[in-house]
């Protein structure tokens, strides 16, 4: 499974669990307009850490906060490289 598909799958699962309505998931979609709230985003990051073994926010390097879904996915893709 690709990082992109894992992220999308986790977003969909969390939205269903939290009874959130998602906007169409495109790379240009601002995360704040996705339908997920801040708690859902925190759960998403923790879930991706567990499932992918990646925590792009936990290192010493400065990480720019992703604004769009595409930025978020790219952050995880870069961490996996």
């Amino acid at each position: 499974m690709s990082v992109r598909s894992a992220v999308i799958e986790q977003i969909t699962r969390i939205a269903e669990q939290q009874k959130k309505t998602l906007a169409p998931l495109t790379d240009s979609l601002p995360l704040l307009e996705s339908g997920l709230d801040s708690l859902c985003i925190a759960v998403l990051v923790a879930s991706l850490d567990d499932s992918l073994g990646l925590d792009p926010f936990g290192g010493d390097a400065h990480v720019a906060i992703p604004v769009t879904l595409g930025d978020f996915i790219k952050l995880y893709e870069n961490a996996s490289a």
Side-chain angles (χ1 to χ4, degrees):
M1 174 181 291
S2 71
V3 170
R4 173 178 289 278
S5 59
V7 170
I8 299 296
E9 180 181 295
Q10 291 296 328
I11 289 172
T12 303
R13 183 185 61 78
I14 291 166
E16 288 173 3
Q17 287 176 340
Q18 300 296 319
K19 298 180 179 23
K20 303 289 184 185
T21 301
L22 289 174
L25 299 176
T26 64
D27 281 353
S28 61
L29 175 68
L31 286 175
L32 294 176
E33 296 174 14
S34 67
L36 300 178
D37 59 21
S38 59
L39 176 60
C40 292
I41 299 291
V43 170
L44 174 62
V45 169
S47 178
L48 291 170
D49 185 15
D50 289 344
S51 65
L52 298 176
L54 299 173
D55 181 8
F57 301 100
D60 291 335
H62 174 72
V63 175
I65 302 299
V67 174
T68 66
L69 178 59
D71 295 340
F72 187 82
I73 292 170
K74 186 168 291 294
L75 183 67
Y76 277 87
E77 288 175 336
N78 290 342
S80 72

